[in-house]
Amino acid sequence: YRSMIGSLLYLTASRPDILFSVCLCARFQSNPKETHFFAVKRIFKYLAYTPTLGLWYSRDSNFDLHSYSDADFGGYKVDRKSTSGSCQYQGSLLVSWFSKKQNSVALSTTEAEYIAVGSCCAQILWQKQQLVDYGICVKDVSIKCDNTSSICLAKNPVHHSRTNHIDIRYHFLREHVESGDIVLEYIPTEKQVTDIFTKPLDENSFSKFRRELGL
């Protein structure tokens, strides 16, 4: 089981469509059950039927950096922790993505989404610095989020009941919003690409977001 998971984790570097499923199965490496073996075999079957999918990077793409961020509130049924997901694009090309279980249990959707956007912001700042090293300066990077409360929280320093338990290290997000390093934008849930990194989806939604990733 560990050998299969290791192979799949290596493959997620070029197949982001399996990232969520592989990361979920990887959490049970210490004591896998028959159901976990069945789930991993389904991933291999999916790969066997989609051998031609892959990321294509065109040389004529621009360097406009933008990102999507999302969180599945309490989606992990074992310990009720939320899952953060984000993906970063340069122009129309997917260049970075992640799916990760949050370190603490979020007590509201706003908290889960705000933590996810904070992680996405850190990734954006790193990418902006990398582009500066190549002589490319990018300003006002857009992060698209489908939660209006977390967007308002980043723009409004007034605390309320839904923010009491957010760790202080995530409040650096508000600082970068105020300085203009990033711009938070609302996007409808049905257009939120990072749903593919945070939760199981039906076939139609999965296929739609897979195309949005450029696969």
Side-chain angles (χ1 to χ4, degrees), residues 35-49:
T35 54
H36 302 135
F37 275 98
F38 179 74
V40 172
K41 288 180 179 179
R42 286 193 63 186
I43 298 176
F44 278 106
K45 288 179 181 178
Y46 167 74
L47 293 171
Y49 283 103

Side-chain angles (χ1 to χ4, degrees), residues 114 117 143 147-160 171 173-179 182-186:
Y114 193 68
V117 175
I143 298 180
N147 184 270
T148 55
S149 295
S150 59
I151 295 175
C152 292
L153 178 60
K155 297 178 180 179
N156 184 0
V158 178
H159 294 272
H160 48 78
H171 286 266
L173 175 64
R174 188 187 308 136
E175 178 182 348
H176 290 289
V177 170
E178 292 175 349
S179 64
I182 63 168
V183 177
L184 291 179
E185 297 181 8
Y186 174 77

Side-chain angles (χ1 to χ4, degrees), residues 96-142:
S96 177
W97 56 90
F98 74 82
S99 175
K100 182 182 178 183
K101 185 174 70 170
Q102 295 181 1
N103 295 328
S104 58
V105 179
L107 300 183
S108 68
T109 304
T110 300
E111 180 178 348
E113 294 277 358
Y114 193 68
I115 290 173
V117 175
S119 299
C120 181
C121 177
Q123 181 70 13
I124 285 291
L125 295 176
W126 178 82
Q127 289 183 333
K128 287 182 63 176
Q129 185 58 47
Q130 292 295 305
L131 291 174
V132 169
D133 293 341
Y134 289 98
I136 302 171
C137 183
V138 181
K139 296 182 179 179
D140 300 331
V141 179
S142 169

